Amino acid sequence: MSSKMTQEGLHVAFIMDGNGRWANFRNKARYFGHRAGAEALRHIVEVAPHHKIHTLTAYAFSSDNWGRPQKEVSTLMKLFSSYLRSETRRLRENDVKLSFIGRRDRFSKSIVRSMEAAEQETYNGKLLHFRLATDYSAREAILHTAEKLKADPKINRDNFHYLLTQSNGTVVPDVDLLVRTGGEQRLSDFLLWECAYAELFFTDVMWPDFREEHLQEALNSYYSRERRFGRIPQNANTG
Ligand code: FPP
């Protein structure tokens, strides 16, 4: 386990919403929005380490997204394949570790092979742990972990957390900041356990337009908040 990587820095998670609308505003097919979304993701992964982010989890494909029209699903799969082809080497060169969370059994064999190869090739990345949630449902992930632990009499929060979050050999800390673009304000079955005390930041910016300045805005908001984790402020009147 690369514990050094997970103990320092922030864990920021992104719900990358608004690709379809971004394309519609431009009278283009939704595909263009997803392609521009992939570019925005590339950019954010590149700048994240400059902002003390050491774990970044992005929601690329939810388990419920299988319910989209077949054409859009196959477009997303092609984009995912080409993203893996073009990004793996760059990530390794940038010392980024890539992992996937979510089910794999519904992807084509060739996509699964590329996912496994990408995880192996970037296994030793230390600067950033970049996790892509693909065919992901937080409720499914929690259920799956509960299944694995049901016969264990020593079940507790720590071992549950370990089993739920370890990906590609690394245990992942709770989310510090969750950013959702595209104007909606909901969690959509994303990282429900890991976000127990996350600060939430919602923005109307559509994901394909999301850049470092927007990330900075989200982080400024994060740093302006007081995280109490259920306690009271240190200087509070305790009477
Ligand atoms: C939500 O926008 C976005 C998705 C369902 C897919 C996210 C995918 C990407 C950001 C690009 C691809 C990433 C990889 C790794 C290949 P939406 O389609 O729901 O937008 P809308 O709400 O405007 O319709």
Side-chain angles (χ1 to χ4, degrees):
M1 168 182 132
S2 4
S3 55
K4 183 173 180 292
M5 188 165 60
T6 59
Q7 282 164 13
E8 298 162 7
L10 297 176
H11 182 181
V12 181
F14 294 93
I15 299 180
M16 309 182 285
D17 199 10
N19 294 347
R21 279 164 289 161
W22 184 92
N24 284 345
F25 295 148
R26 288 160 179 77
N27 282 324
K28 292 199 164 176
R30 294 175 62 82
Y31 165 72
F32 288 93
H34 293 312
R35 202 174 64 180
E39 281 299 323
L41 180 60
R42 185 174 293 135
H43 166 70
I44 292 301
V45 168
E46 222 159 82
V47 301
H50 307 154
H51 295 270
K52 299 194 171 67
I53 296 171
H54 279 210
T55 309
L56 187 162
T57 307
Y59 209 0
F61 192 81
S62 82
S63 294
D64 289 328
N65 287 152
W66 290 114
R68 292 194 174 199
Q70 180 52 38
K71 193 170 157 221
E72 178 161 350
V73 171
S74 69
T75 293
L76 279 166
M77 291 303 131
K78 281 192 196 123
L79 192 59
F80 184 33
S81 265
S82 82
Y83 183 85
L84 289 177
R85 269 198 306 278
S86 66
E87 286 314 288
T88 301
R89 192 162 149 212
R90 187 201 304 243
L91 293 171
R92 194 185 56 225
E93 285 169 1
N94 290 341
D95 203 17
V96 175
K97 176 183 181 113
L98 173 62
S99 320
F100 300 94
I101 56 170
R103 286 176 64 163
R104 299 187 185 194
D105 56 306
R106 294 189 283 196
F107 289 125
S108 70
K109 285 200 177 72
S110 86
I111 288 192
V112 174
R113 270 198 300 272
S114 305
M115 290 164 81
E116 288 169 356
E119 285 187 331
Q120 275 169 21
E121 285 173 40
T122 62
Y123 189 83
N124 292 320
K126 296 273 182 290
L127 190 61
L128 175 72
H129 188 189
F130 169 34
R131 302 191 314 156
L132 262 182
T134 47
D135 196 355
Y136 177 81
S137 150
R139 289 196 290 199
E140 280 294 327
I142 291 168
L143 208 58
H144 187 62
T145 303
E147 274 289 317
K148 284 199 264 184
L149 276 169
K150 74 178 171 202
D152 185 344
K154 294 203 201 87
I155 179 168
N156 59 33
R157 280 192 199 188
D158 286 344
N159 56 30
F160 195 93
H161 184 92
Y162 177 88
L163 269 185
L164 178 70
T165 71
Q166 80 84 27
S167 49
N168 202 12
T170 299
V171 178
V172 171
D174 278 346
V175 172
D176 296 299
L177 171 66
L178 176 111
V179 176
R180 182 175 186 141
T181 60
E184 312 288 355
Q185 304 196 355
R186 52 177 171 258
L187 294 180
S188 300
D189 201 11
F190 189 44
L191 303 176
L192 299 180
W193 170 282
E194 298 88 329
C195 280
Y197 279 102
E199 298 294 330
L200 309 179
F201 183 84
F202 300 105
T203 170
D204 289 336
V205 173
M206 299 291 146
W207 177 254
D209 289 329
F210 196 83
R211 291 291 174 276
E212 188 171 16
E213 76 221 58
H214 305 111
L215 175 63
Q216 186 62 62
E217 197 188 325
L219 289 167
N220 290 346
S221 169
Y222 171 81
Y223 284 119
S224 73
R225 303 179 195 185
E226 182 183 37
R227 301 188 79 194
R228 293 201 294 272
F229 300 97
R231 301 183 201 112
I232 60 172
Q234 282 197 329
N235 57 356
N237 181 346
T238 54

